[in-house]
Amino acid sequence: MTYPEPPVAAKRPTLREHHGDVFEDPYEWLRDKESPEVVAHLEEENDFTEASTAHLEALRGRIFEEIKARTLETDLSVPVREGSHWYYSRSFEGKEYGVHCRAPISSPDDWTPPELDAETEVPGEEVLLDGNIESAGHDFFRIGSFDVSRDGAWLLYGVDTEGHERYLLRVRELSTGRELDDEIPGTFSGAIFSPDGRYVFYSTVDEAWRPDTIWRHEVGTPVSDDVVVHHEDDERFWGGIGLTRSGDYLVIGLGSSVTSEYRIAPASDPSAEFQVVWPRTEGVEYSIEHARVGAESVLLVLHNHGAPNFELVAVSPDAPGDGPADATVVVAHSTERRLEAVDAFANHLAFSYRRDGLTQVGTAVLGPDSALADITIDELAFDEPLYSVGFGGNPEWEQPTLRIGYGSFVTPSSVFDCDVRTGERALLKQQQVLGGYDASDYEQSREWATAEDGTRVPISLVWKKDGRTGPRPFLLYGYGSYESSIDPALSIARLSLLDRGAGFAIAHVRGGGELGRAWYEDGKLLSKKNSFTDFVACARHLVAEGITRPDTLVAEGGSAGGLLMGAVANLAPDAFAGIHAAVPFVDALTTILDPSLPLTVIEWDEWGDPLHDPEVYAYMKGYSPYENVREGVEYPHILATTSLNDTRVYYVEPAKWVARLREVGAPALLKTEMVAGHGGVSGRYAQWRERAFELAWILDVLVLEAA
């Protein structure tokens, strides 16, 4: 690829001094997003990127049309029953946003969702909210809260039109469409009604974008009269509020990366004081679920106290004690299985867990004579070597079935209702992939790389069968933070890559959660570099096994995965032909040193506290991508994508990184969405065009653009 002359950012050194170390930062001035000079620089970078990729315009157009042609644009989601209605969403050809709808159930015993046809009128259908109407006049639109009162009369919804994840909360009367005067600005996502619909509970954020305060608002009264239900003083903790599926308890959840605390109040008395379940203990995480087992009302508590892969215990809601020592063990800890969630229903329990790097779902039937000691998990079996399975929409306490979502690299997203007593599964919907898609045309497999310390690292792969036996171009994706797992799933956009002869792989590096809690612990804090060396080991393995070559391998990751991309660019630039870093956390040390920035104090549990700990400072300085760009290194082609209004990873991080890469002659591009947040642009067609841009660049690096 050949580029025109790139922009050159001015150098205005700022000194950063910590623990006796002085770092001269020439590009920190780019942090001032209100500066016309900074905005002009970002726009100049966008112009340069557009000019540098102008030869890909036709390819971008083809990929966009391929995504569009494979997508059923006018479609409906599978209805989910709540109360006396089935709730679902519609999409329409030519429309950017979804339309939220509902239709009445036929009877109290109606648990079989109606088979809806996009072309057929649904009897009794009501439109609750049309995103295409609500977004009119805005370049960005996203819904952050969406709740219907139990009597079905009122809609609560929050809207962000800037991408900064602060939502204007509104209440709508559904019978008339009338908006109440109850407008609450600056809320976080996840607001709910109390069961009686009289109150709204919501949270607001502090200057660091941390949801720190939970409020109670009485519908129809001035917002100035709202009551603080909880204010969280510990700057590491986030707060949120919900309702148990049983409807018996309101729940406040408080948590840092490593510590949890829950508080409950009877839902029948929304103004009651919340009581702590277990007091927070540093390093102990837990979650709660209300259940009735036989004649006993219990809180099921999933915790990691002395149980790294988590254990499930039961306590009394009225006297929960102070921790696991006061509880009854329901599902014991196992080194082979990482328990992730338990959902309770009137007649069964559902479990989500991981084993051997794959997600699993199991159930346990409850009856009038059930006892905690008798609960065993019956696992649902699947026959693909790689797949993802998890709970779907299951809001109703009395429902006799379990809704699950299933898919793989080759199997489109599928929704099933499982009869818990018989084990029978009913396929309710499978994502349609238009254009003659045939799953048998593609193949998926699992490889294992060996890391520097001997650890075996799983890699999930998919490619199109074309008779080729030698190396092929590959896109290798990675994340590796926060115990978040990247599981196999079909992507319509990815087919444009696979059908051109490239393969796709996920490197399940340490720092993620694929192989249990230890896998996460070995990729955080002072073990973070394992994530980076694992990714390089996966790249080297694919080459050593003849699956690809370094000159036909592109790496990709976003957010914390963007940190991974920046780190491996410095660590092993020879291993890749190109690297795409999306909203990348590449100036990590600067950010984590500043407690006034959004999320920093919370993030100390993940990365360490370099502000007060010189060992952490030195360790992070040793890997932070911006500070470790090297002279005399032949870097691969690099594309950094970001958004001006991102509150999680500021645009300034990739802007500074690209400026530094340019100093050493790296072929780096920066693309900034000027009206978007951490998740990028909001409309689906805009998202397809954004992905088409990225895929065209990747194919260009792989020299597959003519295919």
Side-chain angles (χ1 to χ4, degrees):
M1 290 185 288
T2 59
Y3 296 146
E5 285 299 312
V8 177
K11 287 187 172 184
R12 297 171 187 161
T14 300
L15 295 182
R16 188 190 72 203
E17 299 183 44
H18 291 280
H19 309 297
D21 176 72
V22 179
F23 174 68
E24 185 178 281
D25 189 340
Y27 301 117
E28 179 62 15
W29 66 272
L30 289 169
R31 187 174 298 277
D32 183 5
K33 67 181 286 189
E34 303 302 323
S35 165
E37 186 180 6
V38 171
V39 173
H41 175 75
L42 296 176
E43 290 175 339
E44 189 178 357
E45 287 281 10
N46 281 346
D47 291 342
F48 172 66
T49 297
E50 184 56 41
S52 301
T53 60
H55 63 292
L56 301 176
E57 183 177 0
L59 178 60
R60 294 197 295 256
R62 289 198 298 273
I63 294 174
F64 172 79
E65 291 299 331
E66 289 166 9
I67 297 171
K68 191 169 180 287
R70 291 190 180 108
T71 302
L72 185 63
E73 296 184 67
T74 300
D75 201 6
L76 302 94
S77 66
V78 178
V80 173
R81 178 173 161 176
E82 290 190 65
S84 58
H85 288 85
W86 293 105
Y87 288 84
Y88 53 96
S89 62
R90 289 182 174 272
S91 61
F92 292 93
E93 184 174 356
K95 299 290 184 68
E96 289 275 15
Y97 300 101
V99 180
H100 298 270
C101 307
R102 71 179 180 184
I105 61 174
S106 60
S107 72
D109 296 326
D110 179 13
W111 293 103
T112 303
E115 295 183 17
L116 304 182
D117 185 330
E119 306 301 324
T120 303
E121 184 176 336
V122 178
E125 180 178 270
E126 297 176 66
V127 173
L128 307 182
L129 187 146
D130 186 336
N132 303 289
I133 294 174
E134 303 293 336
S135 64
H138 300 289
D139 294 327
F140 183 92
F141 175 79
R142 185 158 290 157
I143 296 173
S145 296
F146 192 91
D147 191 34
V148 177
S149 60
R150 261 198 186 187
D151 62 6
W154 305 94
L155 171 67
L156 176 69
Y157 67 102
V159 171
D160 172 16
T161 57
E162 295 186 34
H164 57 15
E165 298 184 62
R166 290 187 179 182
Y167 301 88
L168 177 63
L169 200 59
R170 296 188 176 108
V171 178
R172 175 177 297 174
E173 185 178 37
L174 291 175
S175 61
T176 64
R178 176 177 63 97
E179 301 282 346
L180 300 190
D181 293 332
D182 305 56
E183 286 197 351
I184 308 174
T187 70
F188 197 64
S189 58
I192 63 167
F193 279 114
S194 62
D196 60 8
R198 181 180 172 185
Y199 296 98
V200 167
F201 288 90
Y202 65 94
S203 56
T204 55
V205 299
D206 61 13
E207 291 304 313
W209 247 261
R210 175 181 68 99
D212 67 331
T213 307
I214 297 169
W215 303 77
R216 184 178 69 242
H217 167 76
E218 186 172 1
V219 176
T221 66
V223 175
S224 58
D225 293 342
D226 290 0
V227 176
V228 173
V229 175
H230 177 78
H231 176 76
E232 181 54 51
D233 293 321
D234 191 324
E235 293 181 345
R236 300 174 303 156
F237 279 68
W238 285 37
I241 189 160
L243 184 69
T244 60
R245 184 177 289 103
S246 66
D248 287 0
Y249 294 98
L250 288 160
V251 179
I252 292 176
L254 304 164
S256 71
S257 295
V258 299
T259 306
S260 307
E261 182 179 273
Y262 282 81
R263 303 179 178 206
I264 61 173
S268 58
D269 184 6
S271 61
E273 183 177 351
F274 283 76
Q275 303 297 321
V276 174
V277 177
W278 285 353
R280 65 188 70 176
T281 300
E282 186 67 20
V284 174
E285 300 169 56
Y286 72 93
S287 59
I288 65 171
E289 181 81 348
H290 179 236
R292 296 195 186 101
V293 181
E296 195 173 0
S297 174
V298 298
L299 290 180
L300 297 176
V301 184
L302 191 63
H303 74 91
N304 70 337
H305 183 71
N309 278 339
F310 286 74
E311 174 182 71
L312 185 68
V313 300
V315 299
S316 166
D318 300 321
D322 293 325
D326 302 318
T328 300
V329 175
V330 179
V331 179
H333 173 262
S334 169
T335 58
E336 306 299 321
R337 175 183 61 200
R338 164 66 163 97
L339 281 172
E340 293 190 323
V342 58
D343 279 13
F345 302 85
N347 299 302
H348 61 274
L349 302 177
F351 301 87
S352 175
Y353 49 98
R354 307 187 73 89
R355 190 182 62 249
D356 298 328
L358 294 175
T359 52
Q360 310 287 347
V361 167
T363 61
V365 176
L366 299 178
D369 299 322
S370 293
L372 292 169
D374 299 331
I375 290 175
T376 57
I377 300 175
D378 294 322
E379 185 172 291
L380 280 64
F382 303 94
D383 57 10
E384 290 188 87
L386 299 175
Y387 61 85
S388 303
V389 63
F391 301 151
N394 293 289
E396 286 292 281
W397 174 249
E398 296 287 347
Q399 66 186 63
T401 57
L402 177 69
R403 177 78 54 86
I404 64 168
Y406 174 87
S408 73
F409 273 143
V410 301
T411 301
S413 175
S414 307
V415 179
F416 293 88
D417 267 356
C418 303
D419 187 310
V420 177
R421 294 188 178 278
T422 67
E424 294 181 4
R425 301 177 204 166
L427 177 63
L428 304 179
K429 188 181 183 68
Q430 186 171 77
Q431 175 190 21
Q432 291 192 47
V433 183
L434 307 180
Y437 173 77
D438 186 342
S440 65
D441 291 340
Y442 303 84
E443 190 163 344
Q444 57 180 349
S445 71
R446 170 65 60 83
E447 291 280 328
W448 292 84
T450 301
E452 289 182 350
D453 61 0
T455 300
R456 297 179 73 234
V457 183
I459 315 171
S460 299
L461 301 90
V462 62
W463 66 94
K464 187 171 185 178
K465 301 173 187 174
D466 54 12
R468 186 184 316 190
T469 56
R472 71 173 64 233
F474 253 85
L475 175 62
L476 180 62
Y477 186 88
Y479 187 74
S481 292
Y482 306 109
E483 204 178 1
S484 294
S485 302
I486 309 299
D487 295 310
L490 185 143
S491 161
I492 284 181
R494 189 187 302 138
L495 295 176
S496 291
L497 185 77
L498 302 182
D499 288 354
R500 285 174 168 81
F504 176 79
I506 300 170
H508 302 286
V509 301
R510 280 175 283 184
E514 286 88 345
L515 293 176
R517 175 48 67 95
W519 197 250
Y520 169 50
E521 299 286 352
D522 285 347
K524 65 182 292 194
L525 298 173
L526 296 178
S527 298
K528 185 63 211 169
K529 290 180 183 178
N530 285 336
S531 303
F532 315 143
T533 53
D534 283 0
F535 192 86
V536 174
C538 289
R540 305 285 194 208
H541 175 86
L542 295 179
V543 172
E545 293 299 311
I547 294 169
T548 190
R549 303 191 311 266
D551 63 337
T552 59
L553 179 61
V554 170
E556 184 176 47
S559 195
L563 165 65
L564 175 65
M565 294 301 101
V568 301
N570 294 328
L571 187 64
D574 63 311
F576 310 97
I579 293 175
H580 172 217
V583 291
F585 185 43
V586 284
D587 191 17
L589 182 53
T590 301
T591 295
I592 298 301
L593 279 167
D594 188 349
S596 71
L597 291 177
L599 310 184
T600 288
V601 175
I602 295 170
E603 295 287 308
W604 284 347
D605 285 334
E606 180 76 18
W607 313 101
D609 176 4
L611 183 62
H612 303 101
D613 188 331
E615 183 182 13
V616 172
Y617 178 90
Y619 188 79
M620 290 192 71
K621 189 175 182 184
Y623 70 70
S624 186
Y626 173 58
E627 288 158 281
N628 287 280
V629 172
R630 294 185 286 154
E631 302 277 355
V633 170
E634 186 175 344
Y635 279 92
H637 295 285
I638 291 174
L639 171 64
T641 54
T642 186
S643 298
L644 185 63
N645 294 331
D646 191 340
T647 58
R648 296 175 185 266
V649 180
Y650 276 17
Y651 72 89
V652 69
E653 298 201 29
K656 290 169 60 175
W657 181 50
V658 168
R660 177 67 183 122
L661 285 166
R662 294 261 177 75
E663 282 191 65
V664 301
L669 298 176
L670 174 67
K671 183 175 184 287
T672 304
E673 293 294 340
M674 303 304 284
V675 185
H678 194 63
V681 294
S682 56
R684 62 171 176 166
Y685 293 107
Q687 291 170 353
W688 296 349
R689 289 189 179 90
E690 185 176 55
R691 190 54 179 161
F693 178 94
E694 296 162 355
L695 287 174
W697 181 86
I698 290 167
L699 288 165
D700 194 35
V701 173
L702 295 175
V703 198
L704 288 172
E705 76 275 12

